[in-house]
């Protein structure tokens, strides 16, 4: 019988600035989270539906669909 490691909690980081996504992804990964990212609101919704994250870190001012629109969806 082999022991399985517990599933990592997943965080979706959504920001249109690549540097912010990269910093958050690096820091959160270093402390043990699985991180997925999106660069705009539409991509955020698609990624959310595909990955079912435990937490979303969401920028408000983004192209295509802002953070408020993402929350409404």
């Amino acid at each position: 019988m082999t022991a399985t490691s517990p599933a990592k909690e997943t965080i979706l980081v959504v920001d249109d600035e690549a540097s912010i996504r990269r910093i958050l992804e690096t820091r959160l990964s270093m402390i043990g989270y699985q991180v997925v990212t999106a660069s705009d609101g539409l991509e955020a919704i698609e990624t959310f539906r595909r990955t079912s994250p435990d937490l979303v870190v969401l920028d408000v001012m983004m192209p295509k669909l802002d953070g408020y629109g993402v929350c409404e969806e």
Side-chain angles (χ1 to χ4, degrees):
M1 182 183 294
T2 60
T4 58
S5 61
K8 289 184 177 180
E9 293 160 325
T10 302
I11 298 176
L12 170 57
V13 173
V14 186
D15 200 297
D16 57 325
E17 292 190 38
S19 60
I20 293 174
R21 286 194 314 271
R22 203 169 31 253
I23 290 167
L24 288 172
E25 182 176 17
T26 300
R27 292 296 201 159
L28 292 168
S29 295
M30 287 173 60
I31 58 174
Y33 293 101
Q34 177 178 341
V35 180
V36 291
T37 64
S39 61
D40 62 57
L42 296 178
E43 184 181 355
I45 292 169
E46 178 184 306
T47 304
F48 182 90
R49 289 180 176 153
R50 189 177 73 248
T51 62
S52 298
D54 299 291
L55 177 73
V56 178
V57 177
L58 179 63
D59 186 16
V60 174
M61 301 297 292
M62 294 183 294
K64 298 184 183 175
L65 183 63
D66 67 16
Y68 297 114
V70 173
C71 286
E72 286 178 18
E73 186 64 32

